[in-house]
């Protein structure tokens, strides 16, 4: 997510070219709100009568690029394991700044809960899963339910809850105020910056005058004992997001939720996404986590 390298929006992670034709029950480009063309989702439903536990997939792309189709690989894996998979688009930083993307994903959760019967969803068993910028947004979903500023009023279902029951964060930026110091501690190039995060905020994330806004975007500041179980993974060789962002977030989660509700893994030699995250073995670990918390 930094200017050190040409940015390839989550093609590092998933190609999105998976053939989804084998999933018979699907609904593409469903609008969950009407403020922007970006506010759409693809819904993939497993065979059977349901209702099924549901995972909302949030794409990455530095908050400025990306598309829900990049989540097709994970969506197919989820459906084959009995989950409704929902890939969402949201307003990007070139269209609207924080907290617009947070409002959008929460609106998507409320929409699917309000339409649970139509889409064969169990409204009491919903998780989010995101990578990079999507990991940040997933973490926000996990910690900030009920916060008026972050819940927003996007969409037509504001009487529904945006609370989720499990949360997966793959190498998302967490505390923009400490990213440069974290990068220095890990030996990153001195040119490391937070310009992409600043564009997401609509304000310079390094300027002390904006620190209140920066901290409103920090999922750590909303952690409380009502939060769901978390699975956090980061790569030890990630050249774009210092893994200390994930590690420190997980450490704070553990202090509040306890070790039993927080899984944290630093994947050795993994970079910013790639096969070490998306191979069968690692995805199976995430599916097992979701089975434990959404199928009990």
């Amino acid at each position: 997510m930094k200017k050190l390298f040409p940015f390839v929006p989550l093609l590092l992670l998933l190609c999105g070219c998976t053939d989804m034709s084998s999933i018979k029950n699907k609904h593409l480009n469903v609008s969950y709100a009407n403020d922007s063309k970006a506010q759409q989702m693809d819904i993939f439903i497993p065979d059977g009568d349901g209702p099924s536990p549901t995972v909302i997939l949030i794409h990455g792309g530095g908050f400025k690029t990306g598309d829900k189709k990049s989540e097709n690989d994970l969506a197919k894996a989820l459906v084959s394991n009995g989950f409704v998979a929902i890939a969402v688009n949201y307003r990007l930083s070139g269209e609207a700044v924080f907290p617009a993307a947070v409002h959008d994903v929460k609106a998507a959760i409320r929409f699917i809960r309000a339409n649970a019967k139509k889409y064969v969803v169990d409204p009491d068993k919903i998780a989010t899963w995101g990578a990079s910028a999507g990991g940040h947004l997933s973490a926000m979903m996990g910690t900030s339910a009920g916060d008026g500023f972050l819940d927003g009023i996007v969409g037509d279902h504001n009487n529904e809850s945006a609370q989720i029951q499990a949360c997966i964060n793959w190498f998302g930026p967490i505390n923009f105020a400490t990213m440069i110091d974290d990068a220095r501690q890990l030996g990153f190039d001195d040119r490391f910056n937070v310009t992409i995060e600043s564009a997401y905020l609509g304000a310079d994330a390094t300027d002390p005058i904006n620190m209140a806004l920066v901290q409103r975007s920090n999922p750590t500041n909303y952690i409380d004992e009502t939060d769901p179980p978390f699975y956090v993974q980061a790569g030890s060789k990630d050249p774009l997001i210092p893994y200390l962002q994930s590690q420190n977030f997980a450490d704070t989660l553990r202090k509040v939720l306890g070790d039993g509700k927080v899984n944290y893994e630093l994947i050795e030699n993994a970079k910013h996404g790639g096969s070490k995250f998306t191979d069968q073995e690692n995805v199976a670990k995430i599916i097992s986590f979701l089975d434990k918390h959404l199928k009990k």
Side-chain angles (χ1 to χ4, degrees):
M1 292 177 58
K2 299 293 162 286
K3 296 192 300 183
L4 302 181
F5 307 98
F7 186 74
V8 183
L10 263 266
L11 295 180
L12 289 167
L13 181 66
L14 297 168
C15 70
C17 57
T18 296
D19 181 7
M20 307 298 280
S21 62
S22 61
I23 301 175
K24 298 176 183 178
N25 194 356
K26 54 183 175 286
H27 305 264
L28 305 180
N29 300 318
V30 176
S31 294
Y32 60 83
N34 298 300
D35 300 312
S36 167
K37 292 181 180 179
Q39 294 166 329
Q40 293 188 337
M41 57 172 66
D42 293 341
I43 304 169
F44 303 96
I45 302 171
D47 293 336
D49 296 331
S52 299
T54 297
V55 181
I56 294 177
L57 297 164
I58 311 168
H59 71 78
F63 304 107
K64 65 177 183 176
T65 60
D67 185 81
K68 55 187 167 57
K69 290 181 181 178
S70 67
E71 302 303 310
N72 281 355
D73 296 327
L74 292 183
K76 193 167 186 178
L78 287 165
V79 170
S80 68
N81 282 278
F83 295 90
V84 175
I86 300 174
V88 298
N89 277 350
Y90 50 88
R91 284 172 290 174
L92 301 172
S93 60
E95 178 181 1
V97 298
F98 173 82
V102 176
H103 287 172
D104 285 356
V105 181
K106 290 197 176 211
I109 295 169
R110 294 192 296 261
F111 174 90
I112 206 64
R113 193 164 263 133
N115 291 278
K117 289 185 179 179
K118 180 177 181 179
Y119 299 114
V120 204
V121 163
D122 184 337
D124 298 320
K125 297 181 179 179
I126 297 175
T128 59
W129 184 355
S132 194
H136 169 87
L137 293 171
S138 183
M140 291 296 273
M141 298 305 108
T143 62
S144 69
D147 182 87
F149 174 71
L150 292 178
D151 279 356
I153 54 171
V154 171
D156 296 329
H157 303 289
N158 293 296
N159 58 319
E160 297 286 349
S161 171
Q163 179 75 53
I164 59 172
Q165 285 68 57
C167 184
I168 298 122
N169 165 21
W170 274 358
F171 49 88
I174 298 295
N175 186 352
F176 304 160
T178 64
M179 287 186 72
I180 291 175
D181 286 343
D182 289 345
R184 288 173 177 163
Q185 185 174 338
L186 295 178
F188 277 46
D189 190 295
D190 287 340
R191 293 171 294 170
F192 183 89
N193 58 69
V194 289
T195 56
I196 288 174
E197 290 76 16
S198 295
Y200 166 68
L201 289 177
D204 184 352
T206 65
D207 190 333
I209 199 171
N210 296 323
M211 282 304 105
L213 179 65
V214 171
Q215 291 309 318
R216 293 193 94 171
S217 74
N218 180 355
T220 310
N221 290 330
Y222 301 94
I223 295 171
D224 66 32
E225 63 278 0
T226 67
D227 293 342
F230 272 78
Y231 204 145
V232 181
Q233 289 186 318
S236 70
K237 300 295 185 182
D238 190 331
L240 304 181
I241 302 294
Y243 70 76
L244 291 176
Q245 291 277 298
S246 294
Q247 180 176 298
N248 293 336
F249 179 56
D251 286 345
T252 305
L253 284 167
R254 282 195 181 113
K255 290 176 183 177
V256 177
L257 301 180
D259 290 345
K261 289 184 68 176
V262 183
N263 290 17
Y264 169 68
E265 287 185 280
L266 183 64
I267 301 179
E268 288 300 322
N269 298 315
K271 297 184 179 180
H272 195 68
S275 62
K276 288 184 180 293
F277 288 92
T278 60
D279 65 21
Q280 186 174 0
E281 180 180 357
N282 195 59
V283 170
K285 289 193 292 187
I286 304 296
I287 296 292
S288 179
F289 167 81
L290 292 167
D291 284 342
K292 177 181 178 180
H293 296 291
L294 297 187
K295 292 184 178 180
K296 58 187 177 181

